[in-house]
Every structure is written in C-alpha cells, then in structure tokens.
C-alpha cells in the first residue's frame, strides 16, 4: 500500500486534537463556537456579532498523488470536529468538485479517499466543502468549511517541440558562435514542483558544425569557414530532457534543417586565358559576333559579372555587354571590318564582380582577365561609292542629253574588278534620266520643267563585272534650276466689287501678281494699263512700287441698273531676265453696298443669291410689306382720333388726380393757361376751398404753346410765397376730413435757356459734309444721301 506524505503530515494534528478532547472530558463541554468580540455596526444602528470558529475546523488543503494505480482507494485526509466524542453522534458531509464520485468520505470517521486515478495536467486541484452535523438533530455542529485538494505532480510528461521540425539559414563563412535559431520545448508537468519540468537541451546530430545552449536552446555555429560551395545543407537533431537531465528523466527531440546562404567569397574565373574568334568582314555593325564567359561559384547577385574591353585596339572596334540570364559576355561590332586594311584584332577582356563583400577583400581582387584574338575573314564585297549620297543640278528647258553629273564607285577588294552602273528600274524617274554604265555620267532624256517638278530622286546601282549579283546603290537627288519662262499674272480670281456710292479718287481694290518662276531675291512686279487702248473714263491704275497696284475710281456714282459689269485689262511685268509681261483682265461688278468695318458686301447679290428668289417674287414680297404698313398706319390714326373720358374714375371722392392727355405747348406757351393769378396772391383769395372735399366737374383744358410776351416779368419769389401760404392754410383747416389732398399748381418756370430747336429761324449756312454715313442706316436713306451729295456738289461748283 502506498502511503501519502499528506497523511503523515496530518497525523500530528489529529493526535493533538484527540489529546485536547480527552483532557476536558465529558464533564467539561467545549463549545464549538467561541463568541468573538468583533462587532460590525449596521446601517440601521444595530450591531452584528461575528463568531469565530475554532481553529481545529479550519481546513486549508489536502494533497493527493496523481496517476495512482493501486487496487485500493487512495487516502487523502481526515475531517474532525472538536464536538466529535467518538460515539458516532457526528456525521460528516462532503460536497463540491468530485464529491461522491472522485472523492468519498466516511460519515463517521471523516476519512476522505480518492476512488479514481487523477491527472494533474487535466485538473490540478479540486475545491470541496466540509460540514459536521449532529446525527440525531441534523443541526450543524460546525460551519461549512471550504478546502482544496491539490493533485500532486509526478514526472509523467516528456518535453515536446510543438513547432518542429525547423528550417533555418546562416551565411556561409560565418564566425564561430553565430546564432542560427532558438528552439523551445514545453513540458506539461508542474514547473513549480520538483524537477519534472526543468528542461536541458543537448545536440544529438550536427556536430562539430553546430552547438546548442543547454538552457536557452539557441543553436550556434561551432566551426569556422563553413563554405557553401563545399557543403550547403546540414541536418541538426536537438534533444530536450526534463529532470534537469538526470537519469530517469523523460526526453523529446526535433530536427533543424540548416542551409548555408551564399556570400561573395569567390572571384570570377575564365576557364582559359586565351580565346580565338573568326569574324567575316561582312559582319553587320551592332550585331553580335561572339561570346565569352567567366565562371563564378557564387549565386544570385554575388555571381553578377560585368565584362569590359580594357585595351584601346579592341575597344575602338568592338563592344561587350553582359547577358543577365546566362552571365555571358556578348561581343558586338562597333565599326565595319575591312580585311584589306586590318586582318586581326586582339581584345583584352576583363570580368569583374559588381557586388563585392569587403569582408573578403583579403582574398584579392574579384576579377579576372582573358585574351581574345579575332581574325577577320575576307569576303567579296560590293562596289563602294565615293559618297553616301549625291546632289546634282540642271537648268530647266535644257535639251535632251544634257549632262547632269556623275557618280563613282570602286571594288574594295584587292582584285579591284571593273564596275558597271545602272539606274534602279523601280524608280519613276528613269524616263527623265539615263546613266553611262562605264563611267557613271548621268544625262537627261527630255527637257525638264521646274514648275512641274523642282526635284528628282533617282537611285544609281553599281555591280562588279565579274560578279553581277553583288551590287550596291546610292541615292542621287537632281535639282532643276529655274529659268524665267513664265509671265506674271494678277493674283486675284474673284470679282472686284464697286460700290455705287464710290467717289473720284477712291481706291476700289489693291491687286497683286503671281509668277510661277522662282526669284532668288524676291519677286518684283510693275503694273500699268495697256497703252494701245484708249483712256478708261471709269477707272485708272496706280503702281504702288511695292509689287502691288491700286484700282482707283475716276467718276462719281455708278449705277448697277445702268451697267453692272466693267472689264479692266492690266499689264504686269516681272523683274526677271529676260523681262516677261502678262495681261490679265479683271471683272468689276457694281453693287449697292453697305459697309461693316472694312468689309464690303454686295447686298443685292447676297440677298438674291441667298434667298434664291426671282425678280417677280421679290416684287410681290415688297408689295405685301407696303400693304401691311398702310394698314398699321390707318389703325394708329383711327385710335388717336378716338376721344377718351376726362376723369378716369369717380369712385374715390377723397383724392383724385385728373389726367389730361395733352403735353401742352412748352414753357413759352401763355395761351393755354394764364398763371398771372399765381403771381398775384391777393387776387386769388376767393379761391380758398379744398378740392378733396367734394370733386367738381372740371373743364378740359388743352394747353397750347406758351407764347409769352417778353414784356411780362414774373417774380419767382412771389410764387414761392403763394405756395407756402396755401400749404399753411391747408394744414390749419379743420373743416375737412383728416386726410391729405393733392394741390396742383401748374407752373414750370421761366423760358428754357437752350433756345428753340426749330430750323425755320436758323440762318442757312453752307458746310462741306460727307453724307456717306447715311449708308449705315440702310438702303432707305441711300437716295437721301445721293440728293444731299449732289446738292452739296452743286454748291461747291
């Protein structure tokens, strides 16, 4: 039978309790509850007395060993009350976690046993309540006491690595002690009791390359100069053992796969120091002609290599670049090769790492060099022209067979074979030119016209006589030089508009000339009317001296109804050699015009052309408009003759403003109304009555023109005094209703200082005036402008 250490601890306590009970005996009753002097004052003023139980009934915790495998129930502990005399009168009751299932109690003795095997990792403690009752009366002899049964741990769980296996990396060539990874094992046992959860780490596999710290589980490098190029992957097995590594402890292990990462610790190396390459002289510039590669055992950017040609002989003719995928050096041609000039080239090629690690600078320069000898191959080449392109010129109208120029080509090979020339049949210019196949002289086949085509582009081809299939070509541009072979012409193609209101000396239009020929210093034109024709009575021409001429009217008033079209021939001379002239006839159209700024527009033509109406339709439309205007004038006349009532409304007798639809005769009108009474207040005393009390019929007064005599002098101050007096009387009169009335005094003041606007009394003065502004008012005022203009002209004459 397995004896618990908890039972051994409880034995002295039970012996003391039994001794106390025997000393007092049955005659001395030991109270189970001792009154306490502790009191608490309640809110209502009363006090509550707290009774402290005996210390013998206060239970803290019991211990039970986990994983008990014995045949009998495991003894946990004993409950005992001071009231228990051993006669069986006290009954012990147990409640709480696992009471009655896991933990049972002897009701008479108070012994507690565990009936099942417990697992601390599943449940570490149980909270129970103990109670002592009188078996006969069922009264509580002791208050309910809470205690804990704690499951005592044993080493029944091995350490585990929950996250394994692990993958880690460490740079190659790392120093000893470089941290790689930290592993941590867990143990489900109680870490606060004994050494069941105290773990120690050790390395089972991976020595001598790596080591592990026994307490922290940190894996570190243990060997210097670990080279990735020699070995890249390592497998390390770490063990975790509890009981501080003592014998009998449990253990667990995990695997760590460690990979060495690359560093740039290897310089590039060419497999050999000397290379040879054959390149034909026909190789194209910019195209690859060969490859070269240096090896680097490193990876990624640590193996990137930049190639360069370090000698001037090779760098002038060739270039080298790096292929990022294959890390090869691609050699390309910079200039054309010529076997006859140079047959071999030597290239010093260097391969250099672009990312250097300064920690390994002691290993030397991370670069390597190699020598590449290039042999140029001889190839039969096409003829070579002396120029890349030719620009030739020839005068226009030159006879067929005129020499334009020549081209020259030669065989670049050492044989120097003869060359044959011919024109490219694809060009359209073949019909204009031909070439001598032996000497390359280009001639015309027909006269050329610069005005038709000033430039001709042809292609000349050359081939060897011995090898006709191999040829070259060159572009040739022929410029046709100008000859003065075209007479000038008037530049305008539109009709010239002549307004009917034009005056003598007025510029009708400025004309210019055009010439198809080309003048190096600019075109110069002179203008004149034909000398063989009689003098034109209507128009004349003025040469402005700036290659323009002005058409000027010679008479006043043109009428499109009398003559609408005029023709004016003009002779134009150019400034070329030889001097050429041309005659152009301009058509001048007479139109009624209206001016909008500088723009003149033929109103009649525009109207007819835009509307698309015939003359009969236009007359019908004008007749309808005249009839409508007559109806409107008749309607207005009848409306004015209708009389309207004098008083508009007689509903309101308090205030009336009587409106007379008559404007009167002005300030000088004295016949319509006599205001002398206003100037004599004493003569108007009998007029003291209010018009707003009772409206009376008023006579309709139509004021006429105020024709006053100059001998009548009006005193303005008397009128002001009269109006003020009337105002005071109206305010002080209490016999009228209390509302305002409108007092009207028809006085406008003395005569106007501006004088009369009548033209009858104005003296007739003659003045020179331009009535062309009446054109802006429309065609209705055009006749009036002509009449005034004629009258003005007659007076001047």
């Amino acid at each position: 039978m397995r004896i618990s250490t908890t039972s051994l601890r409880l034995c002295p306590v039970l012996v003391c309790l039994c001794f106390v009970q025997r000393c007092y005996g049955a005659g001395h009753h030991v109270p189970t509850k001792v009154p306490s002097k502790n009191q608490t004052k309640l809110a209502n003023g009363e006090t509550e007395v707290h009774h402290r139980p005996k210390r013998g009934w206060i239970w803290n915790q019991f211990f039970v060993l986990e994983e008990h495998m014995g045949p009998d129930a495991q003894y946990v502990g004993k409950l005992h009350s001071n009231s228990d005399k051993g006669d069986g009168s006290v009954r012990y009751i147990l409640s709480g976690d696992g009471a009655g299932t896991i933990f049972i109690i002897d009701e008479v003795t108070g012994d507690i046993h565990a009936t099942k095997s417990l697992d601390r990792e599943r449940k570490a403690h149980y909270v129970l309540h103990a109670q002592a009752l009188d078996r006969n009366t069922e009264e509580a002899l002791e208050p309910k006491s809470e205690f804990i049964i704690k499951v005592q741990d044993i080493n029944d769980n091995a350490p585990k690595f929950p996250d394994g296996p692990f993958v880690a990396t460490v740079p190659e060539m790392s120093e000893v002690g470089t941290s790689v990874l930290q592993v941590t094992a867990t143990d489900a046992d109680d870490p606060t009791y004994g050494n069941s959860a105290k773990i120690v780490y050790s390395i089972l596999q991976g020595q001598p390359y790596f080591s592990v710290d026994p307490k922290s589980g940190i894996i570190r490098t243990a060997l210097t100069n670990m080279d990735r190029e020699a070995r890249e992957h390592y497998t390390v097995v770490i063990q975790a053992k509890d009981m501080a590594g003592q014998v009998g402890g449990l253990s667990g292990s995990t695997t760590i796969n460690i990979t060495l990462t690359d560093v740039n610790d290897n310089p590039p190396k060419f497999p050999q120091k000397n290379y040879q390459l054959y390149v034909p002289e026909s190789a194209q510039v910019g195209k690859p002609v060969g490859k070269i590669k240096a090896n680097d055992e490193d990876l990624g950017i640590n193996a990137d290599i930049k190639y360069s040609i370090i000698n001037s002989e090779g760098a002038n003719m060739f270039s080298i670049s790096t292929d990022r995928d294959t890390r090869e050096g691609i050699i390309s041609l910079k200039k054309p090769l010529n076997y006859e000039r140079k047959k071999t080239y030597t290239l010093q090629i260097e391969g250099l790492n672009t990312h250097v690690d300064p920690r390994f600078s002691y290993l030397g320069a991370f670069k390597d060099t190699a020598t590449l000898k290039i042999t140029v191959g001889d190839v039969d080449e096409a003829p070579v022209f002396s120029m890349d392109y030719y620009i030739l010129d020839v005068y226009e109208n030159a006879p067929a067979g005129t020499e334009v120029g020549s081209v020259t080509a030669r065989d670049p090979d050492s044989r120097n074979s003869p060359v044959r020339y011919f024109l490219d049949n694809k060009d359209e210019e073949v019909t204009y030119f031909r070439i001598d196949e032996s000497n390359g002289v280009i001639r015309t086949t027909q006269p050329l016209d610069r005005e038709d085509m000033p430039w001709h582009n042809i292609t000349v081809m050359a081939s060897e006589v011995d090898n006709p299939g191999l040829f070259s070509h060159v572009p040739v541009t022929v410029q046709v030089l100008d000859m003065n072979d075209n007479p000038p012409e008037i530049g305008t193609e539109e009709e010239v508009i002549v307004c009917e209101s034009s005056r003598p000396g007025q510029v009708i239009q400025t004309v210019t000339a055009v010439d198809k020929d080309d003048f190096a210093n600019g075109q110069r034109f002179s203008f004149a009317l034909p000398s063989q024709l009689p003098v034109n009575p209507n128009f004349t021409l003025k040469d402005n001296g700036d290659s323009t001429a002005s058409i000027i009217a010679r008479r006043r008033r043109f009428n499109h109804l009398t003559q609408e079209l005029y023709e004016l021939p003009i002779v134009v001379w150019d400034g070329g050699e030889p001097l050429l002239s041309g005659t152009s006839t301009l058509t001048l159209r007479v139109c009624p015009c209206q001016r909008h700024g500088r723009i003149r527009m033929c109103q009649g033509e525009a109207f007819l052309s835009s509307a698309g109406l015939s003359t009969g339709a236009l007359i019908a439309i004008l007749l309808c408009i005249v009839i409508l205007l007559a109806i409107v004038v008749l309607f207005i006349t009848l409306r004015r003759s209708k009389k309207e009532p004098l008083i508009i409304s007689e509903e309101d007798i308090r205030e009336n403003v009587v409106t007379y639809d008559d404007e009167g005769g002005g300030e000088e009108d004295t016949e319509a109304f006599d205001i002398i009474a206003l100037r004599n207040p004493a003569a108007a005393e009998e007029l003291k009555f209010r018009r707003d009390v009772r409206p009376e019929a008023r006579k309709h007064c139509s004021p006429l023109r105020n024709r006053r005599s100059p001998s009548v002098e009006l005193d303005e101050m008397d009128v002001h005094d009269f109006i003020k007096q009337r105002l005071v009387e109206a305010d002080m009169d209490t016999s009228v209703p209390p509302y305002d009335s409108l007092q009207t005094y028809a006085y406008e003041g003395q005569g106007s200082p501006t004088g009369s606007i009548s033209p009858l009394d104005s003296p007739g003065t003659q003045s020179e005036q331009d009535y062309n502004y009446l054109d802006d008012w429309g065609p209705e005022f055009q006749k009036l402008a002509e009449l005034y203009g004629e009258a003005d002209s007659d007076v001047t004459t």
Side-chain angles (χ1 to χ4, degrees), residues 392 401-408 421 423 433-444 460:
L392 308 177
T402 301
E403 180 178 346
V404 178
S406 63
V407 297
T408 304
Y421 303 94
L423 297 178
F433 303 95
R434 59 183 175 85
I435 188 170
D436 191 308
E437 64 178 11
S438 60
N439 56 18
V441 176
I442 301 174
R443 302 178 183 273
T444 60
V460 177

Side-chain angles (χ1 to χ4, degrees), residues 535-603:
V535 177
N536 194 321
N538 301 309
F539 307 98
T540 185
L541 189 68
K542 177 185 177 183
D543 192 339
N544 297 323
D546 57 354
S547 296
T548 64
S550 299
I551 302 175
I552 301 175
R554 299 191 64 178
R555 67 183 182 90
R556 180 186 299 275
R557 293 187 60 196
F558 294 87
N559 193 333
H560 74 285
L561 298 178
T562 303
Q563 183 175 351
E564 183 179 5
L565 299 178
Y566 292 87
E567 290 185 352
L568 181 65
I570 300 176
V571 181
V572 186
W573 289 272
D574 61 13
E577 179 65 32
L579 184 67
L580 297 180
S581 64
T583 302
S584 300
T585 301
L586 296 182
T587 301
L588 286 72
R589 180 180 296 275
V590 178
C591 293
C593 301
Q594 61 177 3
R595 291 182 298 175
H596 301 280
R598 295 184 177 180
I599 300 175
R600 298 186 179 185
M601 118 188 255
C602 188
Q603 187 180 24

Side-chain angles (χ1 to χ4, degrees), residues 482-488 515 517-526 572-581:
D482 183 59
M483 298 290 292
N484 191 17
D485 57 346
N486 291 278
D515 196 327
D517 293 323
D518 184 18
F519 293 87
N521 298 324
Q523 295 179 340
R524 296 183 180 88
F525 301 104
S526 57
V572 186
W573 289 272
D574 61 13
E577 179 65 32
L579 184 67
L580 297 180
S581 64

Side-chain angles (χ1 to χ4, degrees), residues 504-522:
Q506 181 178 350
V507 176
I508 302 300
Q509 186 168 342
T510 301
V511 295
T512 59
V514 294
D515 196 327
K516 295 181 180 179
D517 293 323
D518 184 18
F519 293 87
N521 298 324

Side-chain angles (χ1 to χ4, degrees), residues 79-151:
L79 299 179
H80 183 75
S81 174
N82 292 338
S83 301
D84 189 357
K85 302 180 178 58
D87 55 0
S89 62
V90 178
R91 185 165 66 92
Y92 297 96
I93 299 175
L94 189 65
S95 61
D97 294 343
T101 56
I102 300 176
F103 303 101
I104 59 174
I105 188 172
D106 191 328
E107 294 184 353
V108 177
T109 63
D111 293 332
I112 303 173
H113 291 81
T115 61
K116 297 181 179 179
S117 177
L118 303 180
D119 188 1
R120 188 201 67 84
E121 287 72 34
R122 181 176 298 178
K123 190 173 180 64
H125 66 275
Y126 297 85
V127 180
L128 294 96
H129 299 85
Q131 193 174 8
L133 304 177
D134 190 308
R135 188 179 294 276
N136 297 323
T137 64
E138 294 296 329
E139 293 182 0
L141 300 178
E142 301 288 351
K144 183 180 292 187
S145 178
E146 180 181 289
F147 65 95
I148 297 174
I149 297 179
K150 188 173 183 180
V151 180

Side-chain angles (χ1 to χ4, degrees), residues 464-735:
E464 297 179 9
V465 176
D466 299 337
N467 188 5
L470 189 63
F471 56 86
S472 59
H473 53 81
V474 66
V476 177
T477 301
V478 179
Q479 181 183 8
V480 181
L481 302 179
D482 183 59
M483 298 290 292
N484 191 17
D485 57 346
N486 291 278
E489 299 176 354
I490 298 298
T492 178
E493 296 180 357
E494 299 179 356
E495 292 181 335
V496 179
I497 302 300
V498 180
C499 291
E500 292 183 339
S501 59
S502 298
R503 294 169 296 170
Q506 181 178 350
V507 176
I508 302 300
Q509 186 168 342
T510 301
V511 295
T512 59
V514 294
D515 196 327
K516 295 181 180 179
D517 293 323
D518 184 18
F519 293 87
N521 298 324
Q523 295 179 340
R524 296 183 180 88
F525 301 104
S526 57
F527 304 84
L529 295 178
S531 59
Q532 66 273 18
L533 297 178
V535 177
N536 194 321
N538 301 309
F539 307 98
T540 185
L541 189 68
K542 177 185 177 183
D543 192 339
N544 297 323
D546 57 354
S547 296
T548 64
S550 299
I551 302 175
I552 301 175
R554 299 191 64 178
R555 67 183 182 90
R556 180 186 299 275
R557 293 187 60 196
F558 294 87
N559 193 333
H560 74 285
L561 298 178
T562 303
Q563 183 175 351
E564 183 179 5
L565 299 178
Y566 292 87
E567 290 185 352
L568 181 65
I570 300 176
V571 181
V572 186
W573 289 272
D574 61 13
E577 179 65 32
L579 184 67
L580 297 180
S581 64
T583 302
S584 300
T585 301
L586 296 182
T587 301
L588 286 72
R589 180 180 296 275
V590 178
C591 293
C593 301
Q594 61 177 3
R595 291 182 298 175
H596 301 280
R598 295 184 177 180
I599 300 175
R600 298 186 179 185
M601 118 188 255
C602 188
Q603 187 180 24
E605 290 295 326
F607 179 78
L608 291 176
S609 61
S610 61
L613 300 177
S614 62
T615 306
L618 181 61
I619 295 174
I621 292 174
L622 293 176
L623 183 60
C624 293
I625 294 174
V626 171
I627 295 173
L628 289 176
L629 290 176
I631 293 174
V632 171
V633 172
L634 180 61
F635 177 76
I636 294 175
T637 304
L638 293 176
R639 187 171 183 180
R640 287 184 177 180
S641 63
K642 184 179 179 181
K643 294 184 178 181
E644 297 181 356
L646 299 179
I647 301 177
I648 296 176
S649 176
E650 295 182 0
E651 294 178 359
D652 191 357
I653 62 175
R654 296 171 298 176
E655 295 185 11
N656 277 320
V657 179
V658 181
T659 303
Y660 300 94
D661 191 8
D662 193 351
E663 295 183 358
E667 299 173 357
E668 301 297 334
D669 188 3
T670 57
E671 298 178 1
F673 186 75
D674 190 5
I675 61 170
I676 297 178
L678 295 178
R679 296 300 181 184
N680 189 8
E685 288 295 330
E686 65 275 6
L687 298 177
K688 291 183 178 180
F689 57 89
R690 296 295 297 270
R691 297 181 182 179
D692 55 350
V693 175
R694 178 178 297 175
E696 60 185 7
R698 302 176 184 177
K699 294 181 181 181
H700 180 68
C701 299
S702 299
L704 302 177
R705 289 186 177 179
N706 187 9
R707 300 183 181 273
R708 298 176 54 190
S709 174
S711 62
V712 179
E713 296 291 334
L714 298 179
D715 188 3
E716 184 176 1
M717 297 303 297
D718 294 342
V719 174
H720 291 174
D721 295 340
F722 171 73
I723 292 175
K724 292 180 180 179
Q725 182 180 356
R726 286 294 185 178
L727 178 61
V728 173
E729 291 175 359
D731 292 339
M732 300 303 294
D733 192 358
T734 59
S735 62

